[in-house]
């Protein structure tokens, strides 16, 4: 999943950093009576990584 969201991640971040340092929100999901509403709030921070294929296919 990393390649799918790499363009939306801060440069130089890694998973050992604190949540507030490393992560930015991508979507807000809201539960309604019969469904879930999705609002995409993520901003593309590294557009050169948009569409990058994974190194290996699992």
């Amino acid at each position: 999943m990393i390649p799918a969201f790499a363009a939306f991640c801060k440069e130089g971040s890694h998973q050992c950093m604190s949540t507030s340092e490393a992560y930015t929100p991508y979507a807000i999901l809201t539960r309604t009576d019969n469904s879930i509403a999705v609002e995409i709030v993520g901003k593309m921070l590294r557009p050169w990584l948009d569409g990058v294929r994974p190194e290996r296919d699992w």
Side-chain angles (χ1 to χ4, degrees), residues 13-41:
S13 295
H14 53 82
Q15 61 193 25
C16 293
M17 296 169 74
S18 72
T19 302
S20 62
E21 288 179 315
Y23 299 96
T24 58
Y26 177 75
I28 298 173
L29 283 66
T30 307
R31 185 175 28 187
T32 63
D33 290 336
N34 297 321
S35 65
I36 296 175
V38 179
E39 177 186 0
I40 305 297
V41 296

Side-chain angles (χ1 to χ4, degrees), residues 1-9 15 46 49 52-54:
M1 293 305 301
I2 292 172
F5 293 96
F8 296 90
C9 298
Q15 61 193 25
R46 302 186 298 169
L49 293 176
V52 171
R53 295 179 53 84

